[in-house]
Amino acid sequence: MRVLLVEDDDRVAEALLPALARRGLTVERLATGRGVLDRLTGVDVVLLDLGLPDIDGITLCRQIRAASDVAIIVVSARGEVDDRILGLHAGADDYLVKPYDVGELVARVHAVRRRRGDAVPGAGGGTAGVVEVGDVHIDLVRHQVIVAEEPITLSRKEFQVLALVVGAGGAVCTRERIIAEVWGRSWAGANRTLDVHVATLRTKLGRPALVETVRGVGYRLTADGQAGAG
């Protein structure tokens, strides 16, 4: 996923760029509003700071929305309710107040893209919203999973975990993102809870290799879902 970061604070950008790259995002940064409208082609999400040196961020937000349907997340220290309302009315899809957790920011990036109905990259063929990996059919719209022509019953959170891993299209889906999107928060035992859900998910699918553990990072979908099947 390609992200355009519009942030004038060098310290914020220097910390954020590698953090987003580690989570699988391709990020370009601009320190001013100048040139933003020329860089929107191919961009999935714009992270827009409002305190820019050359143009008011709200004005730029309106210009971006007039020029493109790209997803916009305002990332600003302006945290008053009126500021958030103004940003959303200017065309932003979401508004995150500084300081923030990077995991939450990444979760919001994926969420706004998903809400806009972007196609989910899959490992195989299938109709829109359906991912096929071997004999595993995952319908992301109807929340249905079929393995070897047999329907599999998953809990809501188990399906959400699977959908996030599938939606990453073979890239690593980080633990932070899964926990943020499925549970909405993190806590001391969050990683253990996620591990249990993944273990149960693998057992129900009967395809242990379908969801691969990337130690210390997260999980990813493998093309060979049959390997290690029970």
Side-chain angles (χ1 to χ4, degrees):
M1 189 189 308
R2 289 189 57 195
V3 174
L4 178 62
L5 173 64
V6 187
E7 171 61 67
D8 71 315
D9 191 321
D10 290 337
R11 291 175 299 177
V12 172
E14 288 169 5
L16 192 55
L17 287 172
L20 295 178
R22 285 195 300 271
R23 289 163 171 80
L25 303 179
T26 300
V27 188
E28 178 185 2
R29 181 240 177 158
L30 292 177
T32 66
R34 187 180 306 110
V36 168
L37 298 181
D38 297 326
R39 303 288 185 90
L40 297 178
T41 302
V43 171
D44 297 298
V45 180
V46 175
L47 300 180
L48 177 63
D49 180 32
L50 296 182
L52 300 173
D54 59 337
I55 186 173
D56 176 69
I58 293 296
T59 299
L60 180 57
C61 185
R62 292 194 183 101
Q63 292 177 352
I64 294 171
R65 179 55 64 235
S68 171
D69 193 40
V70 65
I72 304 171
I73 301 178
V74 170
V75 183
S76 174
R78 302 180 191 173
E80 298 298 324
V81 172
D82 288 346
D83 292 317
R84 298 199 297 270
I85 292 173
L86 193 59
L88 294 171
H89 282 174
D93 296 274
D94 203 349
Y95 195 114
L96 189 59
V97 178
K98 299 177 180 177
Y100 52 82
D101 178 81
V102 174
E104 180 182 1
L105 174 62
V106 173
R108 290 185 183 226
V109 166
H110 286 283
V112 296
R113 191 184 184 201
R114 191 170 58 248
R115 286 201 301 267
R116 284 179 163 268
D118 290 344
V120 177
T127 58
V130 177
V131 177
E132 299 179 3
V133 187
D135 62 354
V136 179
H137 300 251
I138 306 159
D139 190 324
L140 299 170
V141 177
R142 295 182 174 84
H143 289 204
Q144 295 175 344
V145 178
I146 298 174
V147 179
E149 301 185 359
E150 292 292 330
I152 305 298
T153 301
L154 301 179
S155 71
R156 182 171 61 88
K157 291 191 184 308
E158 288 164 358
F159 185 87
Q160 288 175 323
V161 171
L162 179 61
L164 286 170
V165 174
V166 167
V172 177
C173 192
T174 65
R175 286 177 169 271
E176 292 92 341
R177 179 190 167 197
I178 296 172
I179 291 168
E181 292 210 34
V182 175
W183 283 273
R185 62 186 179 89
S186 186
W187 68 99
N191 281 313
R192 176 57 182 161
T193 298
L194 175 57
D195 289 340
V196 170
H197 277 72
V198 171
T200 304
L201 179 60
R202 287 168 171 158
T203 299
K204 288 184 175 182
L205 294 175
R207 302 290 183 269
L210 184 68
V211 178
E212 178 187 4
T213 299
V214 181
R215 197 170 299 279
V217 182
Y219 300 94
R220 68 182 168 204
L221 186 72
T222 64
D224 185 10
Q226 296 286 349

